[in-house]
């Protein structure tokens, strides 16, 4: 039985004091959940969030990492740096990073392998554009992104990898994929994983849906057969709203 993982992606929002206030508000609201609760915060909030989330159900993640260990990469943060302060999760290959910061399937694969080596828990984002959805190539796009992300990832490692299916046209737009379309696309991703690793492994990989998830649509999405929780942007900025998503049942 796969666990539901509900992860917030704050993007470039919230100062450290706001992060701590949010955690204080969220912690009692999610203390009884069986779902995994994660918030992926800006780098500058990580340390404060980690300290503040101790002894709560809330796990802390970063939104990106560099695949190199150290060196002349001005402005970058390595996986080792995240690991050293106790960060547990890291988002890799978010569509905003692919679109604005030249992330490619190759860099995503490199970062994923490094995160797994360091025992960070990766959330790898894949998803098609509106044009690709409309011209019928969505399946090809998401399965290729999945396959390329997972190149040279072992059986043991893929089980520890979370995939977030995030149609680009649904991110921050208020447009959500229908629960049927989201579930079907996640099945395509799972089939691709099955082609590489076999059915048992494919059945144990957590695959989230992301794209305008909110408390009003979380239940119908997360109750679908193949949707194992969500990656939540805008709606994760409000503790009350995010708690309702976590406690969607
Ligand atoms: C995201 O940033 O990953 C996301 C899904 O954003 P939103 O929920 O705001 O669409």
């Amino acid at each position: 039985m796969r666990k539901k993982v509900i992860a917030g992606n704050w993007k470039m929002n919230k100062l450290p004091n706001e992060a701590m206030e949010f955690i204080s508000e969220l912690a009692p609201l999610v203390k009884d959940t069986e779902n995994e609760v994660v918030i992926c915060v800006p780098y500058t909030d990580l340390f404060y969030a980690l300290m503040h989330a101790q002894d709560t159900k809330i796990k802390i993640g970063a939104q990106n990492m560099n695949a190199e260990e150290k060196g002349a990469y001005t402005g970058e943060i390595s996986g080792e740096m995240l690991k050293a302060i106790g960060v547990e999760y890291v988002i890799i290959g978010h569509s905003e990073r692919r679109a604005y910061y030249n992330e490619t399937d190759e860099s995503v694969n490199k970062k994923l392998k490094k995160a797994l080596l360091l025992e960070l828990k990766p959330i790898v984002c894949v998803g098609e554009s509106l044009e690709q959805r409309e011209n019928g190539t969505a399946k090809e796009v998401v399965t290729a992104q999945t396959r390329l992300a997972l190149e040279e990832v072992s059986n043991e490692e893929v089980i520890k990898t979370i995939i977030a299916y995030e149609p680009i046209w649904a991110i921050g737009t208020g447009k959500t994929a229908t629960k049927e379309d989201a579930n079907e696309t996640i099945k395509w991703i799972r089939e691709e994983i099955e082609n590489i690793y076999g059915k048992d492994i494919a059945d144990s990989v957590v695959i989230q849906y992301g794209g305008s998830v909110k408390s009003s649509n979380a239940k119908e999405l997360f109750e679908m057969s193949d949707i194992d929780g969500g990656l939540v942007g805008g709606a994760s900025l409000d503790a009350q709203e995010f708690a309702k998503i976590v406690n969607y049942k």
Side-chain angles (χ1 to χ4, degrees):
M1 179 74 177
R2 296 184 299 267
K3 195 168 184 173
K4 304 274 184 202
V5 180
I6 322 281
N9 171 18
W10 282 0
K11 313 192 186 196
M12 198 171 72
N13 290 291
K14 293 195 190 292
L15 301 173
N17 62 319
E18 295 169 319
M20 291 188 287
E21 278 165 23
F22 178 100
I23 290 167
S24 297
E25 193 179 345
L26 181 67
L29 302 174
V30 298
K31 69 177 180 6
D32 297 322
T33 186
E34 285 166 15
N35 303 325
E36 182 86 342
V37 188
V38 185
I39 46 173
C40 297
V41 307
Y43 288 135
T44 45
D45 291 350
L46 281 171
F47 187 73
Y48 300 90
L50 283 161
M51 292 294 118
H52 222 66
Q54 275 178 10
D55 304 319
T56 76
K57 279 265 166 81
I58 306 166
K59 310 285 169 54
I60 304 300
Q63 299 169 14
N64 181 33
M65 57 169 264
N66 192 293
E68 302 299 330
E69 180 189 349
K70 58 184 169 182
Y73 303 101
T74 303
E76 288 295 291
I77 299 287
S78 69
E80 282 83 352
M81 290 168 175
L82 299 178
K83 191 72 190 170
I85 62 166
V87 172
E88 213 171 315
Y89 284 83
V90 60
I91 298 174
I92 293 175
H94 190 278
S95 62
E96 287 155 14
R97 296 214 56 89
R98 292 182 192 247
Y100 310 145
Y101 303 101
N102 305 319
E103 295 251 356
T104 61
D105 290 324
E106 197 184 351
S107 65
V108 168
N109 172 251
K110 223 171 145 188
K111 290 179 183 194
L112 172 59
K113 287 187 288 190
K114 186 59 179 287
L116 288 163
L117 192 72
L118 294 168
E119 297 190 336
L120 287 162
K121 295 176 184 160
I123 301 176
V124 179
C125 302
V126 299
E128 81 285 359
S129 65
L130 185 58
E131 194 190 344
Q132 291 161 336
R133 171 61 56 177
E134 285 175 349
N135 70 19
T137 56
K139 181 174 186 179
E140 212 176 288
V141 170
V142 297
T143 53
Q145 286 176 338
T146 304
R147 189 172 60 250
L148 294 169
L150 294 176
E151 240 171 53
E152 296 172 355
V153 169
S154 70
N155 291 11
E156 294 71 35
E157 289 174 327
V158 73
I159 295 167
K160 299 175 190 159
T161 302
I162 296 172
I163 312 271
Y165 164 57
E166 299 209 303
I168 297 168
W169 48 271
I171 298 179
T173 59
K175 286 186 204 154
T176 315
T178 64
K179 59 184 197 295
E180 292 83 10
D181 281 350
N183 200 51
E184 181 184 41
T185 312
I186 288 178
K187 280 188 174 175
W188 295 337
I189 294 169
R190 207 177 291 291
E191 275 164 26
E192 187 64 21
I193 298 173
E194 183 178 337
N195 291 339
I196 311 170
Y197 298 96
K199 184 161 169 46
D200 286 355
I201 288 183
D203 282 346
S204 66
V205 174
V206 169
I207 311 181
Q208 302 171 309
Y209 166 78
S212 299
V213 173
K214 35 193 181 288
S215 59
S216 56
N217 59 23
K219 183 175 160 70
E220 62 171 46
L221 286 161
F222 298 169
E223 284 186 348
M224 295 302 283
S225 64
D226 279 68
I227 304 182
D228 307 322
L231 183 56
V232 185
S236 74
L237 292 170
D238 180 272
Q240 299 289 331
E241 172 69 1
F242 189 57
K244 283 188 203 155
I245 296 172
V246 171
N247 300 319
Y248 67 91
K249 275 183 193 153

